[in-house]
Amino acid sequence: MEAPLLRVEGLQTHFASELGTIKAVDGVTFDVPRGGVLGMVGESGSGKSVTGLSILRLLGSRNATIAGGRILFKGEDLLQKSEAEMRQIRGGSISMVFQNAMTSLDPFFRIGDQLAEVIKLHQGLRGKAARDRALHALELVRIPDPVAKLKSYPHQLSGGQRQRVVIALALACEPDLLIADEPTTALDATVQKQIIDLLLDINRELGTAIVMITHDMGVVAHMCQTVAVMYAGRIVEHGAVEDVLRSPEHPYTRGLMASVPRLHTEASAAGRTRQRLYQIGGSAPLPLRLTDGCAFAPRCPEVGPECWTVDPPTVGFRDGQEAVCHRRAEETVEEDLRVRA
Ligand SMILES: Nc1ncnc2c1ncn2[C@@H]1O[C@H](COP(=O)(O)OP(=O)(O)OP(=O)(O)O)[C@@H](O)[C@H]1O
Ligand SMILES: [Mg+2]
């Protein structure tokens, strides 16, 4: 089997805080094949952005450390690279569209100059060659009237166009991997759909692999082949999208699926209809992890005594789908005994 483009193995990213060590990413492992699209879902604070930022070693804050694991990109561990090597990789072979990236466009520079800067840094192109490349990047993201847009300032563009420019900046050097952190959150529904479709086209046309960080299971269903569900710094379930969406195994994934904002219409006694939005009770914990046991236990509808004290095991299902859960482990043992009896 061909080695994956990216393999994150046992990644640990910690923040020192007054309360103790926050294990924002606590032993995360996943693969992205060449040209593949992986979805990362989970509630706010589950560690999605920190995972993405760790891959590029862009944690910034002084209290952050990557305390363990490996990040193998084309077989080479990015955690062993020098800062100079990482600067070449960032925006070169791996790019990231940051959460709230639209605000990261420099308001004082023309779009064309911002693109040319990235192209100069990574490809050493200048002058007309850099401008041609910049134009090509804008064409790639299907901005209307790209020649004129090279001369525009960010405030002259609509929100959707600005997000296309952000994606153009990330794609300017034709990376092998794009990490897209909630690239559609600030946009209205129609524009969201256009941006998602754009990313899919780019994946298909250029073979750019994508890690798609999102809250939205609909986006996962539409564009990803595999999905990793994060909870409190760990991946609690992963597998092929069609398997996980059709039969989610972890109680948290089941809750997430049920809380997809779908309007359940129920006929009431009066014959009227009312709308209902399912939600998971409780809130996501701060990943301090002071004790062993399952972090989801306080909110889990299936919680048992061992869930509070013993770390849950990883249970395998069809085609590599895995869930980290005591309940599913029990059921698998019972199933085995039934088969053997
Ligand atoms: N600089 C920091 N110092 C301390 N804790 C931090 C820091 N940055 C992030 N964290 C913590 O790490 C955890 C994971 O944060 P992260 O931003 O990855 O969540 P997320 O899944 O991307 O959430 P969202 O969906 O809101 O973007 C959170 O508990 C957060 O409070
Ligand atoms: Mg985030």
Side-chain angles (χ1 to χ4, degrees):
M1 225 172 79
E2 199 194 0
L5 178 68
L6 175 75
R7 178 167 176 76
V8 173
E9 218 172 69
L11 178 67
Q12 298 269 353
T13 306
H14 298 173
F15 294 101
S17 83
E18 284 170 7
L19 296 171
T21 302
I22 297 175
K23 297 183 174 177
V25 176
D26 190 19
V28 158
T29 296
F30 62 88
D31 286 352
V32 183
R34 279 168 202 276
V37 186
L38 167 81
M40 285 202 112
V41 292
E43 280 167 307
S44 198
S46 57
K48 306 180 298 293
S49 294
V50 173
T51 301
L53 292 167
S54 299
I55 294 170
L56 283 171
R57 289 179 32 202
L58 278 176
L59 290 155
S61 61
R62 266 183 292 141
N63 63 340
T65 34
I66 296 184
R70 299 199 299 168
I71 297 172
L72 300 171
F73 182 68
K74 298 182 179 174
E76 290 180 30
D77 190 353
L78 299 184
L79 298 180
Q80 306 300 325
K81 300 271 179 203
S82 68
E83 189 43 43
E85 288 171 311
M86 281 312 293
R87 271 199 296 277
Q88 275 312 307
I89 290 168
R90 289 181 204 124
S93 42
I94 308 178
S95 270
M96 185 156 176
V97 170
F98 298 98
Q99 201 163 358
N100 308 320
M102 275 193 282
T103 56
S104 73
L105 289 176
D106 193 321
F108 301 111
F109 286 89
R110 295 175 198 275
I111 303 298
D113 293 339
Q114 299 195 42
L115 281 163
E117 185 61 32
V118 173
I119 291 159
K120 188 171 105 188
L121 180 69
H122 288 284
Q123 300 185 317
L125 299 176
R126 282 153 208 275
K128 182 167 182 327
R131 273 198 306 282
D132 286 350
R133 197 73 209 218
L135 179 62
H136 175 68
L138 287 186
E139 285 165 352
L140 204 64
V141 296
R142 313 202 202 317
I143 289 231
D145 203 359
V147 177
K149 292 293 184 322
L150 285 173
K151 297 210 157 47
S152 303
Y153 290 92
H155 75 268
Q156 296 173 305
L157 308 184
S158 69
Q161 288 177 353
R162 278 205 293 276
Q163 191 62 340
R164 282 173 197 264
V165 170
V166 166
I167 295 170
L169 278 165
L171 294 175
C173 300
E174 305 201 348
D176 299 303
L177 176 67
L178 175 70
I179 302 169
D181 193 353
E182 312 258 11
T184 63
T185 349
L187 306 167
D188 68 50
T190 322
V191 183
Q192 283 192 10
K193 171 89 171 57
Q194 290 166 358
I195 297 288
I196 297 297
D197 286 339
L198 170 68
L199 289 172
L200 258 185
D201 287 349
I202 283 161
N203 167 255
R204 287 179 188 146
E205 283 163 28
L206 305 182
T208 315
I210 301 176
V211 174
M212 182 72 189
I213 298 176
T214 177
H215 280 91
D216 189 337
M217 279 294 195
V219 168
V220 170
H222 186 63
M223 69 179 288
C224 303
Q225 286 113 38
T226 50
V227 59
V229 181
M230 284 196 77
Y231 190 82
R234 293 186 180 176
I235 292 178
V236 294
E237 176 155 10
H238 79 87
V241 164
E242 68 252 34
D243 295 331
V244 174
L245 268 53
R246 196 185 319 114
S247 42
E249 297 291 349
H250 196 283
Y252 176 63
T253 319
R254 290 179 182 176
L256 266 189
M257 297 295 303
S259 65
V260 170
R262 184 187 320 132
L263 298 176
H264 294 268
T265 6
E266 295 177 353
S268 71
R272 282 195 232 105
T273 56
R274 70 194 162 95
Q275 297 165 336
R276 212 154 65 128
L277 181 66
Y278 286 94
Q279 262 170 353
I280 308 174
S283 55
L286 192 65
L288 281 166
R289 213 174 283 286
L290 300 172
T291 56
D292 285 341
C294 176
F296 189 57
R299 302 167 75 190
C300 183
E302 300 181 63
V303 65
E306 70 283 24
C307 304
W308 298 99
T309 51
V310 183
D311 271 353
T314 300
V315 189
F317 299 88
R318 64 231 125 217
D319 298 328
Q321 183 181 358
E322 287 183 339
V324 185
C325 176
H326 284 296
R327 285 284 90 79
R328 296 296 92 76
E330 254 169 39
E331 287 169 2
T332 314
V333 171
E334 283 164 17
E335 182 66 23
D336 276 359
L337 291 175
R338 257 203 307 281
V339 170
R340 263 181 250 157

